[in-house]
Amino acid sequence: MVPLPVLDEPPPAARPGILAACDGSDGSLWALDRAMTEAELFGLPLYVLAVVNPSPAGYPPGMVELVQPSIELLAGSMADGLRRAVDTVQAARPRPYGGELSLHVVLGSVIEVVLAATAGQHTLVIGTRGNGGFSRLLLGSVSTAAVHHANCPVLVVPAPPAG
C-alpha cells in the first residue's frame, strides 16, 4: 500500500467536501470513521485535517530559524500519525472507504486553522474531545468553537456506548 501524501495546506474551499479534524485521539478516530461514511453518502471528497501548533505563545525574534528543524520534525510526525489514523479506521470498517481522500497537516492555532478550513466545506465532522487534558468537559475547546463559529454545518461525533 502506497502511503497517502500529506499536503501542508488547508483543504480547498473551491471544492466542497467533508472535513474531518483529526488529532489521533479516540474521539477523532470515531469522527473520522463517521466522516468516511458521510463522504460516501454524499459522494464528496474527504479532507482529513491535522493541525500542529509548535508554539502557542509565539517565538521571540530570531528564534524561528533556530527551531525550524524541530517544527519540521513535529509536522512530519503528525503526518505519520495522520496516515496511521486513516489506516486504523480503514482496517476497522466493514468495507474500506473508496472515495477521494486527502490528508492535510497545517501549522498554526488549532481553533483558527480548523475554523478557517470550514469555509466552503459541506460539513465539518469532529469528535467531542481530542487530546486536551480536560476529560470532564462534555465538549472540548475545538469542538465548542466549531459548533459556534464554523462556516459550514458541524457534526459532533460522541464516543460509542461502552460495552
Side-chain angles (χ1 to χ4, degrees):
M1 176 185 216
V2 175
L4 289 164
V6 178
L7 307 172
D8 60 353
E9 57 194 34
R15 184 135 187 260
I18 304 296
L19 176 65
C22 187
D23 64 2
S25 64
D26 287 345
S28 73
L29 296 182
W30 298 320
L32 178 56
D33 181 55
R34 180 55 187 257
M36 288 178 178
T37 300
E38 294 290 313
E40 288 175 329
L41 287 172
F42 289 104
L44 294 170
L46 174 60
Y47 305 120
V48 184
L49 173 66
V51 183
V52 178
N53 191 358
S55 175
Y59 292 108
M63 184 61 99
V64 173
E65 293 79 17
L66 293 174
V67 298
Q68 190 62 38
S70 296
I71 293 170
E72 291 169 6
L73 185 63
L74 182 61
S77 177
M78 182 59 103
D80 290 341
L82 196 55
R83 285 188 198 97
R84 283 193 309 277
V86 169
D87 290 345
T88 298
V89 171
Q90 286 278 43
R93 291 174 62 84
R95 190 181 84 244
Y97 173 75
E100 182 181 339
L101 172 69
S102 62
L103 307 180
H104 304 263
V105 174
V106 179
L107 295 174
S109 162
V110 176
I111 291 173
E112 289 174 15
V113 170
V114 169
L115 291 178
T118 63
Q121 299 305 325
H122 183 275
T123 307
L124 168 65
V125 182
I126 193 165
T128 54
R129 281 194 313 272
N131 280 323
F134 300 103
S135 60
R136 70 182 181 278
L137 298 176
L138 293 176
L139 287 178
S141 59
V142 178
S143 54
T144 298
V147 166
H148 291 287
H149 304 289
N151 295 302
C152 67
V154 178
L155 174 58
V156 179
V157 178

